[in-house]
Amino acid sequence: MRRNVVILAVCQALMMSATSLVVTTSALVGVLLAPSRIWATSPVACLFVGSLVCAFPASLLIKSIWRRAGFSVGHVFALMGAVTTTCGLLYSNFLLFCVGSLLIGFFNGFGQFYRFAAVDSASEAYRSRAISWVLAGGIVAAFVGPGIAIWTWDMVATVPYAGSYSMLVGLYAISMLFLFFARLPMPDRKG
């Protein structure tokens, strides 16, 4: 039980770290890639629209299939989004970068359900602590995501922030690996 909570807390921390990296840097990337500065914050908007659009379908999917499978679908969106945003940067393609941000937003729609999975896998006495541990992942993310952005923004010398977005692939892959070791209960099919 506690192992599942720790795993879900790590997954939440990795997801939120990636999200804080994207939120911190995507407007800066937008200034570099957008045809006009008026469109510079479009990637941030795509991230949040993707999360909004995907939250309800993600809840239905996670409820109808095994949680790990549902979260794995979300990770596929995350990995596709990380690769797409990196390619958008490498090829100076603003639209591709926005599509990648939208895909990352889709993953965030799935990732918001980590806390519910933690509650369902914890005993009655441990539930409040379980949700606290998972949500504490956001505190870790407040430092890790921007830190990664700072340390890797010039990793690819000719393309600013390409290194930061390529690091997202690693964050999402590590999260997917951790999720593999979780023993998540089947979702409650009532209601």
Side-chain angles (χ1 to χ4, degrees):
M1 170 188 63
R2 289 184 183 193
R3 183 181 86 171
N4 284 341
V5 172
V6 169
I7 288 170
L8 292 167
V10 168
C11 289
Q12 176 84 5
L14 291 168
M15 178 197 72
M16 295 301 292
S17 295
T19 300
S20 65
L21 184 150
V22 172
V23 168
T24 303
T25 61
S26 62
L28 298 170
V29 171
V31 168
L32 296 173
L33 298 181
S36 168
R37 286 185 182 240
I38 201 166
W39 297 103
T41 57
S42 296
V44 178
C46 289
L47 176 76
F48 288 110
V49 166
S51 183
L52 174 72
V53 166
C54 197
F56 183 67
S59 71
L60 294 176
L61 184 65
I62 288 170
K63 188 173 183 174
S64 68
I65 62 174
W66 192 28
R67 279 195 175 93
R68 186 182 309 171
F71 289 139
S72 295
V73 169
H75 278 96
V76 169
F77 283 122
L79 291 168
M80 288 184 342
V83 169
T84 304
T85 54
T86 304
C87 288
L89 273 161
L90 292 173
Y91 296 114
S92 297
N93 188 321
F94 181 68
L95 182 60
L96 196 59
F97 186 78
C98 288
V99 168
S101 296
L102 183 73
L103 292 170
I104 291 170
F106 288 168
F107 168 66
N108 289 349
F110 280 87
Q112 298 304 319
F113 294 98
Y114 286 138
R115 62 183 181 262
F116 301 116
V119 167
D120 289 344
S121 66
S123 67
E124 188 71 37
Y126 193 67
R127 284 189 176 163
S128 61
R129 284 189 182 156
I131 200 164
S132 296
W133 276 102
V134 173
L135 292 178
I139 296 169
V140 172
F143 299 100
V144 173
I148 291 172
I150 290 168
W151 297 321
T152 61
W153 78 275
D154 61 350
M155 197 165 83
V156 178
T158 58
V159 184
Y161 301 106
S164 300
Y165 282 86
S166 67
M167 294 301 289
L168 292 179
V169 175
L171 290 176
Y172 293 137
I174 291 168
S175 179
M176 197 172 207
L177 181 66
F178 267 92
L179 192 62
F180 178 76
F181 293 104
R183 292 187 185 137
L184 301 175
M186 290 296 286
D188 182 18
R189 298 197 186 260
K190 296 176 187 171

